Structures are given as structure tokens and as C-alpha cells.
Amino acid sequence: MADNKKRRRTEPTEEILPFKNKLKPDSTILEILKELKTSCASSSGTKTLTLDELSLPFHCREVADLSLSSVQSNIESLVLKIAHSILAGNGFAFDVPSRSSANQLYVPELDRIVLKDKSSLRPFANISTVRKTTITARIIQLIHQLCQKGIHVTKRDLFYTDVKLFQDQMQSDTVLDDVSCMLGCTRSSLNVVAAEKGVVVGRLIFSDNGDMIDCTKMGMGGKAIPPNIDRVGDMQSDALFILLVEKDAAYMRLAEDRFYNRFPCIIVTAKGQPDVSTRLFLRKMKTELKLPVLALVDSDPYGLKILSVYGCGSKNMSYDSSHLTTPDIKWLGVRPSDLDKYKIPEQCRLPMTEQDIKTGKDMLEEDFVKKNPGWVEELTLMVKTKQKAEIQALSTFGFQYLSEVYLPLKLQQQDWL
């Protein structure tokens, strides 16, 4: 006979969801978030310092958003200068700004990395630089064509225009950044974009090339961040904060759980390494909506490195840090101290490799880390314990532990750096 006894539903216990009993009502947490938003909005009214306003003992190089006609004019001026040099018998060379680490500096007053003004010649009549000079000339020619036609292409499109010359996309991408720096314009001003990578979901409405997009109605996949940020406008939101997530897996979990409805927020991810479009989009949201940004990254040196790229800029694109950085991003988790605090089991922690430890120690020497004592303390603990963990380590307590307990408790305790 079939067993007709009703099965009892097993309720989650404290053993299954540790610390859930510490959670206060959502209304209490919402009040905390409203205060955070108000504080952020009032501080956003403070005038931001610019590089020109600082009396630095050396000159720095910064780029600007330029119109296509301005970019075209700059290219033509550069070509005329080179032509005059050739006719004068001085040969053919590009004066290329140096983007090496030695030519970069973290400026605490701006809280971002800037590029100093050192440059070097890239002559055509030199066997060690002739190929790179040829690639530079070809990229400039292609950008000039884009200016004349007024169209956008991807970096991949650019690479496939001359595969035999470029050989590898990394080479054309690197020279593209050189050209951007030479012309004094942002990379987006060149009308060359990366393929769509970042996604956004939650309490945000914006126009994309005239079409209104409601990010609460985009499913758990969210809306792909447009590669052409200049076509994004009319941002509206009732969110209390922006949640910046390092990885796609954590983003999917929060999107499926509709975390943004329980705690009104906008969730954004670049699915790993930050791309230019996501960095520009995050800055635009922060600037226009005046919302605090809280970051959720892995508890390893690379998670903190990704966070620093959003906040202080990357060394690779330090020339454009004024447009790509988002100030005052708060490190919400997962932090090294959380591993013991939330009793993450040993089997969910990973031993750091020698390269991980070296990266952690190198980051402790960075000025942007030294500026924040909390970051120094956490990174020191990580290097000392030689343990790391991914956001998914929280799933040991249940797949929804991240959205149901960990993040709400973090917000309740205002546990961010």
C-alpha cells in the first residue's frame, strides 16, 4: 500500500542557515540603506578635484571626450606633422606616450592612477620598431575612415581588417590605446568598442538609442550594457544603492532571487575583469543617480584587484582614468575576515598559490591600498592565513544563503570598508 502519511516539511534551522536569527526586519535594514543613500547624495554635491587644480611637481597627460570631427582634425594634423618631418629629411616616427608602470602615479587627492608625460619615439627606420610603427599608421588610417563614415566598429572588426599585419588582436588593441593617448581623446571617441560583456538588472530605467529599457523586466539574464555609452541617457531609479558583483554566478543568483525587490538596488557585473563599457556605465550611474556603490568580490587578491580597477583605474588605461573610475566604492564582501566570522568550512576554502601570495604582497605595496587601513588589514590577514575563497563558498549553507542571510546581514551591520 502506498504510504498515505503526510510528509512533514523540514524548516531551515540555525544549523542550516547560521546567523539568520541575527537578522532584523527588512524595514530596519531599509532605513539604514536610506541613510547611506542620503549621505552619498550630500557628499556627491562636493566639487570634485581635477588634475589641473593640483600643484603636482610634474605634468600629467589626460584625454578628453572629443567629437568625430575633432578626432579627424587631430589625425590630419598629426599626419601633416609627420609629412613635414619626412620632407625635411628627419625621417618618419611617432611620438608615443609611455604607458609603462614607471610613468604612472597614484594621486591620493584624486584617488586614482594618472599617467605622467613621458613619451618615446617610435621610428619607422629602425628594425626593432618598424613593425609596430606600421601597425600604428594602419590603425590611425582605419580610425580616420571611421570618422569620415561616422560608424562604430568592434575591436575584433578592427583586427580583421589586416590580420596578416596585426597577427594577434592583443597587438592591435595595444596600439589602439597608444593612438587614443597620442590623439588626446578617450577610446570611445575613436568609435571603436568592445563586444558586449557586462549586464545590469534591477531598479533602473534608461534609454538606449531612444528605446526605454526597464531593467526589472529583463528576466534573470538582465540587460546587456551597451558598448556605446554615448547612446545611453535618461537614467531613472528608485534604488537605494548599486551592487557591483565580480562574477556571473553570484549575479545570476541575486537576479533569480529578485534581491533588488527586497532591497531596492541595481545589480551590475562585468563577469570578471572589468571592461571599458561596464566601467563607463557604472560611473554614469553613480554620477547621475548619486547612489552609493557596494562591491561583492571573491576573497582573493584578484577580487581586490578588480575592485581597485573600478575605483582607482587600471595601469593599462591610466591616461583615461578620469572617465573610467568610480569614486568611493565600498568593499562589502567577501572579505578574508568573513571566512571565520561566517564559519566558512575548511573544505570550502582554497589554499593560495605562490603566485596568489606574491600578488597579495605586491598589492600591499600599492599606494591606493595603503590609503585604506581596512584594506591593508584584510589583505594582510589573507596573506598570513594563505587562504582564499570564492563568493560561491557561501553556498555551503544553501544556494540562497547569499541573498537571504549574508548580504542582508552585511547591510544591516553596515559592514563595508
Side-chain angles (χ1 to χ4, degrees):
M1 289 179 66
D3 187 0
N4 292 323
K5 290 182 180 178
K6 291 183 179 178
R7 293 182 179 178
R8 289 185 181 179
R9 184 184 168 200
T10 56
E11 296 294 333
T13 64
E14 171 62 18
E15 187 180 359
I16 298 173
L17 295 179
F19 305 106
K20 187 171 184 179
N21 63 347
K22 291 180 183 261
L23 279 175
K24 294 180 181 178
D26 286 359
S27 57
T28 303
I29 302 173
L30 289 171
E31 286 303 315
I32 292 169
L33 292 172
K34 286 175 185 175
E35 288 177 15
L36 176 65
K37 180 184 177 181
T38 303
S39 172
C40 179
S42 59
S43 63
S44 296
T46 310
K47 188 177 181 295
T48 306
L49 275 174
T50 63
L51 199 54
D52 293 334
E53 293 170 337
L54 298 176
S55 301
L56 297 176
F58 43 78
H59 184 65
C60 291
R61 186 185 295 267
E62 277 197 315
V63 298
D65 271 320
L66 298 181
S67 64
L68 284 181
S69 59
S70 297
V71 173
Q72 183 175 337
S73 176
N74 286 1
I75 291 174
E76 290 165 359
S77 297
L78 174 63
V79 172
L80 280 173
K81 183 180 175 183
I82 289 171
H84 287 148
S85 176
I86 294 172
L87 292 172
N90 297 324
F92 166 28
F94 290 111
D95 188 15
V96 182
S98 170
R99 294 189 291 120
S100 66
S101 297
N103 197 40
Q104 298 176 3
L105 179 77
Y106 172 75
V107 181
E109 295 88 346
L110 303 175
D111 193 23
R112 58 183 171 87
I113 299 169
V114 299
L115 186 68
K116 292 191 278 187
D117 203 30
K118 182 182 176 184
S119 62
S120 60
L121 286 178
R122 188 175 288 172
F124 182 75
N126 187 306
I127 195 167
S128 64
T129 57
V130 60
R131 188 168 169 280
K132 203 161 190 179
T133 306
T134 307
I135 292 174
T136 306
R138 180 71 167 127
I139 292 287
I140 290 173
Q141 179 199 9
L142 293 168
I143 298 300
H144 191 259
Q145 289 179 15
L146 292 178
C147 293
Q148 291 178 317
K149 294 180 179 180
I151 59 173
H152 290 81
V153 298
T154 66
K155 292 193 293 182
R156 195 69 177 165
D157 287 330
L158 204 70
F159 167 67
Y160 271 106
T161 57
D162 207 330
V163 176
K164 286 188 177 179
L165 173 63
F166 299 144
Q167 293 182 2
D168 183 89
Q169 189 179 332
M170 189 176 291
Q171 296 191 41
S172 58
D173 287 354
T174 300
V175 172
L176 182 66
D177 283 327
D178 288 340
V179 169
S180 177
C181 206
M182 287 163 59
L183 298 176
C185 65
T186 61
R187 203 175 74 187
S188 53
S189 299
L190 302 178
N191 274 18
V192 180
V193 298
E196 291 179 346
K197 182 187 176 193
V199 285
V200 61
V201 74
R203 311 290 273 263
L204 175 69
I205 297 174
F206 67 92
S207 66
D208 180 0
N209 209 25
D211 298 324
M212 294 307 295
I213 307 295
D214 186 345
C215 294
T216 60
K217 299 176 180 177
M218 301 303 296
M220 62 181 285
K223 169 72 174 79
I225 292 174
N228 311 334
I229 298 300
D230 53 354
R231 76 186 192 190
V232 172
D234 301 322
M235 284 189 167
Q236 305 164 39
S237 177
D238 63 350
L240 298 177
F241 66 100
I242 298 166
L243 184 60
L244 176 63
V245 182
E246 176 187 350
K247 287 185 172 176
D248 193 32
Y251 167 88
M252 296 278 284
R253 175 76 276 131
L254 295 168
E256 186 175 30
D257 291 348
R258 298 289 196 270
F259 182 79
Y260 52 81
N261 284 336
R262 182 180 174 189
F263 301 105
C265 65
I266 303 165
I267 306 172
V268 62
T269 183
K271 302 178 183 178
Q273 286 295 332
D275 61 306
V276 169
S277 296
T278 305
R279 291 165 68 186
L280 287 169
F281 191 81
L282 179 66
R283 180 180 174 86
K284 189 176 183 71
M285 285 195 295
K286 165 85 173 178
T287 305
E288 294 191 8
L289 302 175
K290 296 178 172 53
L291 293 174
V293 182
L294 306 178
L296 178 67
V297 298
D298 287 340
S299 177
D300 61 26
Y302 306 102
L304 189 54
K305 212 167 190 176
I306 284 170
L307 174 54
S308 71
V309 169
Y310 283 112
C312 308
S314 65
K315 292 184 176 179
N316 187 43
M317 297 190 71
S318 55
Y319 65 89
D320 197 11
S321 63
S322 61
H323 298 94
L324 293 173
T325 54
T326 302
D328 195 29
I329 298 178
K330 303 184 186 304
W331 187 10
L332 186 64
V334 173
R335 302 205 301 269
S337 58
D338 289 344
L339 303 189
D340 285 339
K341 182 179 177 181
Y342 287 87
K343 299 178 181 177
I344 304 296
E346 287 294 327
Q347 67 266 24
C348 298
R349 308 182 192 194
L350 298 169
M352 291 174 70
T353 64
E354 289 300 319
Q355 183 59 46
D356 292 337
I357 295 169
K358 182 182 181 301
T359 303
K361 288 179 178 177
D362 288 345
M363 287 201 70
L364 281 168
E365 298 302 316
E366 296 283 2
D367 290 332
F368 60 80
V369 172
K370 290 178 182 177
K371 185 186 177 185
N372 193 324
W375 284 30
V376 172
E377 188 178 335
E378 292 287 350
L379 201 48
T380 303
L381 176 64
M382 186 192 300
V383 171
K384 181 182 176 182
T385 59
K386 298 182 180 180
Q387 287 186 324
K388 61 182 181 179
E390 297 186 3
I391 302 168
Q392 282 68 45
L394 296 164
S395 297
T396 188
F397 303 124
F399 293 120
Q400 294 178 298
Y401 188 79
L402 175 67
S403 56
E404 290 187 355
V405 179
Y406 179 76
L407 286 178
L409 193 55
K410 279 274 188 176
L411 297 173
Q412 175 184 303
Q413 297 174 344
Q414 302 179 55
D415 186 17
W416 51 69
L417 296 175

